[in-house]
Amino acid sequence: MSVQERKQRERAERERLIVATARELAEQQGWDAVTTRQLAERIEYSQPVLYSHFRGKREIIGAVALQGATEMAAAVRAATAAADGPRARVAALARAYLDFAARNPAVYDALFQLDGGLAYAQEDTPEPLKDAFAALLESLGEVAGDGVHPGLFTEVFWASLHGLATLSRAGRLLPEDAAQRAELLVDRLAVV
């Protein structure tokens, strides 16, 4: 292994450590606790080392969001692959999405609430974000209904899931009705 390859590997490892530590700190204490000073102390590197990887917290949030998009896409695909039939796939998608949001609140915030400097729904949208949307579209496109653009239907269904996830996390909805809400969403919106 050349010196250059070793340095690249070490740089990639430091970057993974920074992102993992930021994510862990955000999940434990919220994004306000994620500062370059806190991260530098936790990973035992200087702040200039952090800045050599990320220009600031915004880029770190973006890196966590991209990682989260990949994980969410995998969770949705795993859940829908095991389902039999269009309705079952959509129900599995809804459960997987809401589950992901509940289990990973800081990552969910990085994806959809905070400014990570990422472009959404544009030409230069990063691939992990496009793939997360594609994971939803794969199951939702088949139940959009006649004359309804599958991408548009996916956006509306996703917005509904996001609303449920956000309102549930904020304590605005009764937790005991969570499963019924997801079923109602599937029954009323998906044409099966």
Side-chain angles (χ1 to χ4, degrees):
M1 173 183 307
S2 73
V3 172
Q4 182 66 21
E5 289 172 328
R6 181 182 54 78
K7 285 184 178 185
Q8 287 175 338
R9 190 184 76 236
E10 289 170 355
R11 180 172 177 74
E13 274 304 310
R14 274 193 312 271
E15 195 164 297
R16 277 191 289 277
L17 179 61
I18 293 166
V19 172
T21 304
R23 182 175 173 166
E24 178 183 316
L25 186 58
E27 292 291 1
Q28 291 170 352
Q29 300 176 32
W31 278 104
D32 287 342
V34 179
T35 64
T36 53
R37 182 180 310 252
Q38 278 280 15
L39 287 173
E41 285 176 17
R42 282 201 177 206
I43 64 172
E44 298 177 346
Y45 282 105
S46 67
Q47 286 182 331
V49 169
L50 287 171
Y51 285 116
S52 75
H53 291 274
F54 300 98
R55 285 181 282 184
K57 184 176 177 176
R58 181 179 187 219
E59 284 188 4
I60 294 169
I61 290 169
V64 170
L66 293 176
Q67 188 180 74
T70 299
E71 293 170 9
M72 186 176 74
V76 165
R77 285 189 175 112
T80 57
D84 186 29
R87 188 198 183 288
R89 277 190 290 281
V90 174
L93 178 148
R95 285 190 302 274
Y97 183 96
L98 294 171
D99 233 25
F100 180 86
R103 281 192 335 272
N104 304 283
V107 173
Y108 193 81
D109 285 347
L111 269 165
F112 301 120
Q113 304 290 353
L114 302 173
D115 179 9
L118 303 173
Y120 285 79
Q122 297 176 21
E123 188 73 25
D124 60 342
T125 298
E127 281 308 312
L129 299 178
K130 288 179 181 179
D131 188 52
F133 185 78
L136 300 176
L137 181 62
E138 289 162 11
S139 292
L140 294 170
E142 67 182 324
V143 297
D146 293 335
V148 178
H149 187 278
L152 182 61
F153 178 77
T154 299
E155 289 174 345
V156 171
F157 199 93
W158 170 32
S160 300
L161 287 172
H162 175 70
L164 289 175
T166 303
L167 291 170
S168 294
R169 278 190 46 211
R172 303 291 198 271
L173 302 174
L174 295 172
E176 60 268 17
D177 294 335
Q180 287 178 308
R181 277 187 212 94
E183 286 296 317
L184 182 61
L185 181 63
V186 171
D187 286 341
R188 299 296 182 202
L189 286 183
V191 178
V192 183

